[in-house]
């Protein structure tokens, strides 16, 4: 009896480079308001309405946006997490180029 061993093709496939943002769950670290480093989390769709601090507009249910917070503030990591804000992606990208909306 002759046995044929089937070889896996997984080792002959093209290797794709790792995407660090994907590995971190969509999180990145960026400079933000006040000169602090902010943790930025991409959210694919909002579960409720939020007010964007950049423009004062509404982030509608289902709209893709980002959540940003810092852990470097005077009152520590927990305060930064409590004070996290939901931003339109375009407003976050333009944050240093315009005057922030006053709530």
């Amino acid at each position: 009896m002759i046995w044929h061993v089937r070889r896996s093709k997984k080792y002959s496939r093209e290797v794709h480079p790792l995407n660090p943002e994907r590995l971190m769950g969509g999180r990145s670290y960026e400079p933000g308001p006040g000169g602090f480093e902010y943790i930025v989390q991409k959210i694919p769709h909002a579960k409720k309405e939020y007010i964007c601090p950049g423009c004062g507009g509404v982030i509608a249910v289902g709209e893709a946006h980002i959540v940003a917070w810092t852990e470097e503030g005077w009152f520590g990591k927990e305060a930064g997490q409590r004070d996290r804000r939901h931003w339109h992606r375009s407003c976050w990208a333009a944050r240093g180029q315009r005057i922030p909306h006053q709530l």
Side-chain angles (χ1 to χ4, degrees):
M1 181 180 285
I2 298 175
W3 294 91
H4 292 282
V5 178
R6 185 173 178 200
R7 293 185 181 216
S8 171
K9 293 184 181 184
K10 87 175 182 182
Y11 297 108
S12 62
R13 286 187 256 171
E14 181 182 345
V15 176
H16 298 286
L18 293 176
N19 180 341
E21 186 175 310
R22 184 173 177 203
L23 291 171
M24 293 176 57
R27 284 187 181 178
S28 61
Y29 293 85
E30 301 178 22
F36 295 113
E37 183 176 72
Y38 278 70
I39 299 168
V40 178
Q41 174 76 45
K42 292 181 180 177
I43 307 296
H45 47 81
K47 297 194 186 311
K48 64 179 192 174
E49 286 188 351
Y50 299 98
I51 302 297
C52 173
C55 68
V58 173
I59 298 171
V61 173
E63 186 175 353
H65 66 288
I66 63 108
V67 178
W69 70 95
T70 186
E71 295 181 347
E72 296 181 349
W74 284 94
F75 301 107
K77 186 164 123 174
E78 293 79 22
Q81 291 171 351
R82 276 193 312 272
D83 293 338
R84 64 187 181 270
R85 296 289 176 255
H86 296 253
W87 294 68
H88 291 112
R89 290 182 178 187
S90 59
C91 292
W92 179 258
R95 67 193 174 278
Q97 301 167 3
R98 62 178 175 198
I99 299 170
H101 176 75
Q102 299 297 318
L103 297 176

